[in-house]
Amino acid sequence: MKNLYGFSLEQLEEYFLSIGSKKFHAKQLFSWLYEKRITSFEEITDIKKETLEILKRDCSLEPLKIVDVQEDEDVLKYLFALSDQEHVEAVLMKHDYGNSVCISSQVGCNMGCAFCESGRRKKVRNLEVHEMVLQILMIEKEFGKRISHVVVMGIGEPFDNYENLLTFFKIINHPNGLAIGARHITVSTCGIVPKILEFADFPLQINLAISLHAPNDALRSSFMPINKAYPLEEVMDAVKIYLKKTNRRVTFEYIMLKDVNDSKECAEELCRILKGINCYVNLIPYNETENISFMRTSTIQIMRFYDILKKNHIGVTIRREFGGNISAACGQLRSKKEDV
Ligand code: SAH
């Protein structure tokens, strides 16, 4: 049985045709799911009974279960139980420009970045499309206000769940779906080169962020195993192709790790490799976690690093910190309930 929140509009159209029904029911159903937010098939009034019976037989409307909510000022962290008893987390951030949700894309993660808590548990499985869509729907329902921005930066490597990710984007972006503007959606990858290249051809204008974290291969490989498969030069070449095709700008995320990647030399090397690329750098104060020994760079050192980038005309911001007190910040999410 397929969950209805996992269908894109085109897939629903195909489905209706496959059961000998009409294509236009797809749009009606989308509107029931995402505009009227039904919770049972009984609420649907414009699809005839026999067709509804088939729909009910083939598909479910099952929501996700929120099993825990933690709050800290402008942040709420939600723990979801999936139907196979696995768990993932998502985070709601209240900004002055709107409400943003950071969602997970996998249970566990295989990328093995040494600094990341979320990746300490190996990938168990990819999230299904409906499990991604429902993280947003459930939070919106519980919170009672519209979610205007979505970032795929929770647990998992989204480009390691690529097909589902694209369907998810189509659903949340569609005007009859969640109608979240593509420019309000961001996906972050640790640098899976073939998928960056494929993403360049995806028609929606979704923002791309790359977890860079180091300006050379020796350093990057020392804490990001993915760099051995896709070294920096290949990542940068893929980004250049992406930029040329899409005419957009990318974000490079750079976690500030004390005495590891935060020196003046690193900043200068970073400027050299980013020179001429339409991008900006988001410096992320590292969130320390109990199980990992990396430490956070001091604010003054972050500012020095920032200044070097500025002087070299590289766009740079320092990420506002959110949710540290409830372990809802970057790299602190977990997919195992017992750990929470
Ligand atoms: N796998 C994807 C999506 C995760 S996004 C990716 O790597 O981009 C999460 C972002 O938070 C990434 O940039 C990640 O490197 C960063 N991050 C991980 N652990 C962190 C920590 N402890 N403190 C701050 N940022 C962290």
Side-chain angles (χ1 to χ4, degrees):
M1 188 172 278
K2 252 199 109 168
N3 191 300
L4 272 181
Y5 297 100
F7 284 87
S8 68
L9 189 72
E10 299 79 51
Q11 290 170 334
L12 267 188
E13 287 176 345
E14 270 168 43
Y15 168 76
F16 277 110
L17 289 176
S18 79
I19 59 168
S21 179
K22 299 282 190 296
K23 205 171 143 179
F24 66 80
H25 285 324
K27 251 199 186 134
Q28 292 170 318
L29 188 57
F30 243 48
S31 153
W32 288 108
L33 297 175
Y34 300 110
E35 289 164 54
K36 306 186 187 97
R37 304 282 168 103
I38 53 164
T39 53
S40 76
F41 288 100
E42 280 60 45
E43 295 166 61
I44 301 175
T45 53
D46 54 4
I47 297 179
K48 69 173 190 253
K49 220 172 143 218
E50 299 83 77
T51 311
L52 263 186
E53 284 308 315
I54 304 176
L55 192 65
K56 254 167 131 168
R57 183 198 67 196
D58 293 346
C59 304
S60 91
L61 278 175
E62 198 178 319
L64 284 188
K65 274 194 211 83
I66 296 178
V67 289
D68 188 42
V69 185
Q70 284 173 268
E71 185 164 8
D72 175 26
E73 290 183 22
D74 289 340
V75 182
L76 287 138
K77 182 171 75 165
Y78 297 84
L79 179 72
F80 293 100
L82 310 174
S83 56
D84 57 359
Q85 304 315 313
E86 291 295 345
H87 292 83
V88 286
E89 291 179 324
V91 178
L92 167 72
M93 290 159 281
K94 301 182 228 169
H95 297 278
D96 43 13
Y97 57 78
N99 299 307
S100 164
V101 166
C102 172
I103 71 142
S104 294
S105 57
Q106 297 180 320
V107 178
C109 180
N110 273 350
M111 298 303 123
C113 300
F115 47 78
C116 181
E117 181 69 41
S118 309
R120 285 204 311 130
R121 185 169 182 219
K122 282 266 157 255
K123 174 168 115 179
V124 177
R125 66 173 176 85
N126 282 329
L127 288 192
E128 300 287 334
V129 177
H130 70 271
E131 291 170 326
M132 294 193 264
V133 173
L134 280 164
Q135 290 174 56
I136 304 171
L137 271 180
M138 304 307 296
I139 290 180
E140 205 166 71
K141 186 171 179 193
E142 174 90 4
F143 179 58
K145 283 191 199 139
R146 185 171 153 71
I147 304 303
S148 56
H149 292 69
V150 170
V151 298
V152 190
M153 297 191 183
I155 302 157
E157 167 48 48
F159 278 4
D160 187 33
N161 186 11
Y162 191 69
E163 290 310 315
N164 287 349
L165 181 77
L166 297 195
T167 308
F168 162 76
F169 285 150
K170 289 182 193 161
I171 298 170
I172 65 166
N173 174 252
H174 198 281
N176 301 107
L178 282 176
I180 299 172
R183 286 159 195 269
H184 287 189
I185 304 171
T186 303
V187 58
S188 175
T189 177
C190 63
I192 303 194
V193 165
K195 298 300 173 201
I196 297 174
L197 294 171
E198 274 187 54
F199 198 57
D201 294 320
F202 186 59
L204 304 181
Q205 305 249 297
I206 285 163
N207 302 307
L208 178 64
I210 310 273
S211 293
L212 198 65
H213 307 328
N216 61 60
D217 280 325
L219 191 55
R220 196 164 191 263
S221 295
S222 74
F223 51 72
M224 291 179 74
I226 191 69
N227 195 66
K228 292 178 191 135
Y230 303 114
L232 255 184
E233 200 179 325
E234 288 182 30
V235 174
M236 299 313 286
D237 285 347
V239 166
K240 284 176 197 159
I241 293 170
Y242 170 90
L243 289 173
K244 210 164 172 199
K245 280 194 176 173
T246 60
N247 230 336
R248 316 208 59 227
R249 187 161 80 149
V250 289
T251 304
F252 289 106
E253 295 154 284
Y254 195 102
I255 307 184
M256 301 297 293
L257 301 167
K258 183 170 162 35
D259 299 334
V260 176
N261 66 354
D262 61 353
S263 65
K264 177 172 170 274
E265 290 71 29
C266 280
E268 286 164 353
E269 201 173 358
L270 185 61
C271 294
R272 279 199 293 281
I273 67 167
L274 298 185
K275 196 163 178 238
I277 294 181
N278 188 15
C279 68
Y280 81 90
V281 176
N282 194 202
L283 298 177
I284 310 177
Y286 180 62
N287 297 306
E288 295 179 1
T289 80
E290 240 173 70
N291 307 299
I292 298 172
S293 57
F294 285 109
M295 286 187 303
R296 160 185 292 229
T297 300
S298 66
T299 309
I300 188 155
Q301 184 62 22
I302 295 181
M303 284 317 296
R304 281 192 200 119
F305 202 94
Y306 175 94
D307 285 340
I308 296 174
L309 268 60
K310 268 260 138 110
K311 263 196 214 114
N312 284 275
H313 312 291
I314 307 277
V316 55
T317 52
I318 298 174
R319 182 172 288 177
R320 181 177 159 203
E321 292 186 66
F322 266 112
N325 295 338
I326 53 170
S327 296
C330 303
Q332 294 185 316
L333 301 183
R334 301 171 187 192
S335 59
K336 227 173 143 198
K337 184 164 181 272
E338 300 77 69
D339 282 352
V340 174

